[in-house]
Structures are given as structure tokens and as C-alpha cells.
Amino acid sequence: MEKNSVSISGKSVVGMKDFSSDEIRLVLNTARKFKQVIRGGEKKLPNLRGKAIVNLFYEPSTRTRTSFELAGKYLGADVVSITSGTSSIVKGESLRDTLRTIEAMGVDAIVMRHKSEGAADFATKAVKPIIINAGDGAHAHPSQALLDLFTIEQAKGRLAGLKVVIVGDILHSRVARSDVYAMTKMGMEVHFAGFKTMLPRFFDFDGVTVHESLEEAIKNADVINVLRIQLERQQAGLFPSTREYARVFGINEERLRLAKDDVLILHPGPQNKGLEISSEVTYCANSAIHDQVQNGVAIRMALLDLTLNGGAK
Ligand code: CP
């Protein structure tokens, strides 16, 4: 355990707005230790032996669901994953009843993804197990923000003072919302770039600079976080066409030349190749997209261990 008074033991993880910089630092430092475990041969730790975790996913996921499941298993917990399509949710069971049913089975934590903003907060009030928000609509995706910070710090050796540009559909992005709270708390300089229609209408982020020109935004950037264009949430027609989006805001090698030589490229995944990012950029030496996935397991191990176990072992 960290030799200071900071603790998130027993805390539900709903959003980065509720985390202090000291709490974020605790998670990042703990993840660093777990990354060594993942890289070592023997991944089974006893930290969460006797604990039960349910992954409750109402929306599709590859990275978040699998990494939370592996994180719990690497720490010795019993982990069960439920998806909406293969549970009694398809028979019309309410979220409250589903949560209470899972609680009745004696679980210690519920990792939850839901299409509605506020679903994770609702869950914290409906049941006693620790709730970890794995994404709720366009509201928050806290473990993604933490793994983004961790990936940047691993690559750059620091966070404070770095210029990060978040490009894309900020309006629909729970990643952008969580990133901006986490990054500004850690002293980073945050910029948004996107079509005007993709920026929050009621702009409520202190200390963020907004650009409608990608070229202007990425000048001297240390980090570019390329958001996925969420085609499933684009009924409102926020841009003329995917071709137009790629032409104006797509991240390609030519545009990268405007940023610093060692600019770090992030993308939460899954990627729309040729739309928000080119294949060349995904696989270039500056890309940390693959590292983000491994770092996601370490961050989720840290979150589970610190909330369920206080990081005691
Ligand atoms: N980044 C992210 O949340 O990916 P998944 O949807 O695959 O979990």
C-alpha cells in the first residue's frame, strides 16, 4: 500500500470528476507495479481471493470487458461476465432488478457498461457492491481516462505541462469527458479539435482550448488522442459525410508532421481506419495504441485492488 493517507478503498468509480489528483496518482503508481506482474511469467496474485466480481455489459465491448475480467482473475477473484443479449434483460428485467439480483448472489463489485448517462450513479444508489463505471452513454469512461494517463506517463515520463489534443466527436464521447477531467487535474494542457457540431453545446470544461482547425490545434502537440467516430450515435448528421470528416479531421502522416517529432498517438479503439485515423498512423513508431490495451489491464487491476482490497497486499 502507498505510504500516505490517500485511499479509494470502498469507493465506487463513477467518473474522473470525483477523483482528486492524489487519488489518480495512487491508481497510476499501483498500475505501474501490476504492469510488471503482467509482463512477468506468473500472473496469478492472491489479492482478491474470496472476492466476487460481475461484469454487467449492456453495450458491446472488447477491450474494457475482457481487461476487467482478466484483471479480476489475475488478482485471484471469481469473475462472471453478463451481456444484455444472453441474460434476463432481454425478457424486460429492469436495471434496478438486475442489479439487486446480482447483489443477492453476494458479489463485491459490479463493473457496468450502459447506454444511458447516469446509469452507474443510479447503480451506486440502488445496491451496496462497489460500482465501477465501464462507460455510461456519453457521460464517463473513467478507466479509459486512467489508462490514457498511464500510457502517456509511461512514454513521456511525466504528465504536467504536456499539450494533449483530443480530436473528434467530443459531444458524444465519454472518453473525452473523462480525459479532460483527469488530464487537467494532472496539470496537462488540453485542446479539443472537431467540427463545431461535435463540440459540447454548453461548454463546461475549464481550462480547455477549442479549435475548429485541426492544423492549428496539433501544432507542437505532445499527445494526440484520436476519438472514434461513433457511427452508431450519428443520426443527427453532425458532419456532411465520412469522406468530408476524413478530409478535414482525419489524422494522417502529413498532419502528424505539424506536431512534435515525438508526438504520442492514442486511440481508445475500436478504430475506423481511413476515417478518423490512417493505417500508417496506427502502426507508426509514435503510436501507443497497442500499449493502451496492455496498460488497460494494469489500470483495471489497480482499480479493483484499491477499491476492493485497499491495495493491502
Ligand atoms: N475503449 C473501449 O472502451 O473499447 P471497448 O468498447 O472495446 O471496450
Side-chain angles (χ1 to χ4, degrees):
M1 192 151 101
E2 291 281 304
K3 287 187 177 47
N4 61 37
S5 57
V6 181
S7 169
I8 58 167
S9 182
K11 179 175 172 134
S12 284
V13 182
V14 175
M16 283 291 94
K17 209 173 177 177
D18 312 326
F19 268 62
S20 69
S21 56
D22 285 345
E23 288 173 332
I24 293 171
R25 172 52 51 212
L26 174 67
V27 177
L28 299 181
N29 290 351
T30 307
R32 203 179 315 129
K33 291 179 233 163
F34 286 132
K35 185 162 178 173
Q36 297 309 319
V37 173
I38 295 165
R39 287 188 159 172
E42 176 56 58
K43 291 189 280 283
K44 203 79 173 171
L45 299 177
N47 301 35
L48 297 184
R49 194 184 291 146
K51 302 283 186 190
I53 300 166
V54 167
N55 282 337
L56 175 63
F57 276 62
Y58 283 76
E59 282 192 325
S61 168
T62 299
R63 281 149 283 268
T64 313
R65 187 165 62 111
T66 310
S67 58
F68 265 117
E69 185 164 336
L70 286 174
K73 288 179 174 169
Y74 290 167
L75 291 166
D78 291 309
V79 186
V80 175
S81 288
I82 301 173
T83 56
S84 51
T86 56
S87 70
S88 288
I89 295 164
V90 288
K91 300 177 200 162
E93 190 160 50
S94 70
L95 174 58
R96 185 189 192 85
D97 284 350
T98 302
L99 289 164
R100 285 173 64 83
T101 301
I102 294 167
E103 179 183 40
M105 296 179 195
V107 308
D108 300 283
I110 301 172
V111 178
M112 195 177 123
R113 174 171 285 188
H114 199 279
K115 65 181 183 307
S116 302
E117 287 92 24
D121 187 52
F122 170 84
T124 63
K125 291 167 180 125
V127 291
K128 289 197 179 66
I130 286 169
I131 302 297
I132 300 192
N133 185 4
D136 60 334
H139 171 239
H141 193 350
S143 63
Q144 180 70 45
L146 289 163
L147 79 85
D148 289 347
L149 286 183
F150 186 53
T151 303
I152 296 166
E153 192 171 64
Q154 291 266 301
K156 300 279 182 195
R158 68 187 172 105
L159 295 171
L162 294 179
K163 174 178 176 179
V164 57
V165 183
I166 304 176
V167 186
D169 183 4
I170 316 287
L171 185 64
H172 292 103
S173 176
R174 54 195 176 207
V175 175
R177 274 183 177 70
S178 292
D179 271 352
V180 77
Y181 288 123
M183 288 171 174
T184 51
K185 282 177 186 182
M186 300 312 280
M188 298 181 77
E189 186 193 314
V190 182
H191 296 247
F192 285 162
F195 283 121
K196 204 171 194 165
T197 48
M198 299 178 138
L199 299 169
R201 285 185 196 101
F202 303 102
F203 200 77
D204 62 351
F205 298 114
D206 287 336
V208 176
T209 310
V210 181
H211 305 263
E212 288 175 47
S213 156
L214 179 63
E215 283 73 15
E216 179 192 292
I218 65 179
K219 245 177 250 166
N220 293 319
D222 296 291
V223 181
I224 302 175
N225 192 4
V226 188
L227 298 177
R228 178 172 75 88
I229 293 300
Q230 300 183 50
L231 295 166
E232 72 276 22
R233 300 190 217 262
Q234 293 299 338
Q235 295 89 339
L238 300 176
F239 51 86
S241 67
T242 51
R243 221 170 100 188
E244 193 66 3
Y245 184 85
R247 190 181 67 76
V248 182
F249 285 104
I251 299 292
N252 53 37
E253 284 184 310
E254 193 186 323
R255 290 207 163 110
L256 272 201
R257 283 194 269 278
L258 296 169
K260 286 187 178 164
D261 287 346
D262 63 349
V263 65
L264 194 72
I265 304 299
L266 304 181
H267 190 301
Q271 302 165 51
N272 297 301
K273 290 272 174 50
L275 176 48
E276 72 264 6
I277 192 165
S278 69
S279 276
E280 292 75 25
V281 172
T282 294
Y283 298 112
C284 76
N286 297 46
S287 170
I289 297 170
H290 196 66
D291 298 334
Q292 284 176 279
V293 179
Q294 184 177 82
N295 291 336
V297 182
I299 281 290
R300 285 154 185 148
M301 287 175 81
L303 281 176
L304 292 174
D305 193 43
L306 290 166
T307 55
L308 280 166
N309 182 40
K313 285 177 196 160

